[in-house]
Amino acid sequence: MRTSDLHADVRPPSRASRPAHRAVTSDAVRPARRATHRPRSAAPPDALASVPAAGWRAGHRRAAGRAAVVASTLTVGVGWLLAILVAPHVTLSPGARMVALFCHLTCLVVGFGAVLTVDWFSLRWLLRREPLGTVLTAARGAHLLIWLGLVGLLASGAALGPDTSSGLVWVKLLAVLVVGVNGLFLGRVRDRLVAVQGRPPWSALLPGVAAATISQFAWWTATLVGFWNANS
């Protein structure tokens, strides 16, 4: 046997068969790739689930029932009356009186400052600078600060021992009571606005505007009367 015949038997297969193999492989893979291809414009399921609903109002609680509002009003009234009855029987040393006065002013800053913040956002909404959802979210966030400031004002004011025989002191005390009861009404108005789909009508907004005006008047009255008594 010749050497050339041996080389002919072990010669590798011709390259002419490779394109056919590639064609078969690519044809088999292409349908699978097309089936798993996702259009770029399609949004993932998580992104669609995170879109808020049309009536979204920042996760506010449900509107309080009438029984809860009546119970809250009675609680505010009883607390206010208790502070008036306890005040004449409290006697503090000069150092403790300074601490009570500092707490009184701090609670005024916290409570009244939170009210001013909410009313500022409300004014921006009336000027069409903020959406209603932003106003409701600000009111919800400041709710706890307002009530902490009001309760602190009552407690520290009772510790300071106001002169209940003075007419101006009673004006201040009544203004504080109005702030508390009006705050409960404002909370109910806010809950009603949360339940409204779309832009609420003016019939639903007017109670809120009236309550916010009363709140400003009562807070400023209590602040000015307290300042007058402190310097008289």
Side-chain angles (χ1 to χ4, degrees):
M1 180 182 295
R2 292 180 300 178
T3 307
S4 59
D5 296 336
L6 180 61
H7 285 291
D9 295 336
V10 298
R11 183 178 300 173
S14 176
R15 295 182 180 179
S17 60
R18 291 183 180 179
H21 174 71
R22 290 180 181 177
V24 173
T25 304
S26 60
D27 292 340
V29 175
R30 282 177 185 174
R33 290 180 179 177
R34 291 177 182 174
T36 58
H37 178 68
R38 178 183 294 175
R40 295 183 180 179
S41 59
D46 296 339
L48 294 177
S50 62
V51 177
W56 181 76
R57 287 290 187 270
H60 289 267
R61 60 182 174 84
R62 291 183 178 181
R66 292 184 178 179
V69 173
V70 172
S72 300
T73 304
L74 290 177
T75 302
V76 171
V78 170
W80 177 82
L81 184 60
L82 184 63
I84 294 176
L85 295 177
V86 170
H89 305 285
V90 177
T91 303
L92 300 178
S93 62
R97 185 176 179 82
M98 289 295 296
V99 174
L101 180 59
F102 176 78
C103 293
H104 194 70
L105 295 177
T106 302
C107 292
L108 176 63
V109 171
V110 172
F112 196 18
V115 170
L116 288 175
T117 301
V118 175
D119 290 345
W120 170 251
F121 277 100
S122 301
L123 179 61
R124 287 179 59 84
W125 175 78
L126 290 175
L127 298 176
R128 299 183 183 276
R129 299 294 181 87
E130 296 287 349
L132 181 59
T134 302
V135 179
L136 297 176
T137 302
R140 179 173 178 258
H143 180 79
L144 179 60
L145 290 177
I146 294 173
W147 283 105
L148 286 177
L150 184 59
V151 172
L153 279 174
L154 281 175
S156 58
L160 289 172
D163 183 12
T164 54
S165 62
S166 174
L168 284 177
V169 171
W170 276 103
V171 171
K172 178 182 177 180
L173 292 175
L174 290 175
V176 172
L177 179 61
V178 170
V179 166
V181 176
N182 187 71
L184 296 175
F185 179 72
L186 267 175
R188 188 168 178 84
V189 171
R190 186 189 68 236
D191 294 338
R192 289 178 178 177
L193 291 177
V194 169
V196 175
Q197 299 292 333
R199 185 175 179 85
W202 278 106
S203 58
L205 294 174
L206 286 179
V209 174
T213 304
I214 294 174
S215 175
Q216 285 291 321
F217 179 78
W219 274 102
W220 280 110
T221 300
T223 302
L224 292 176
V225 171
F227 175 79
W228 178 267
N229 288 334
N231 291 276
S232 60

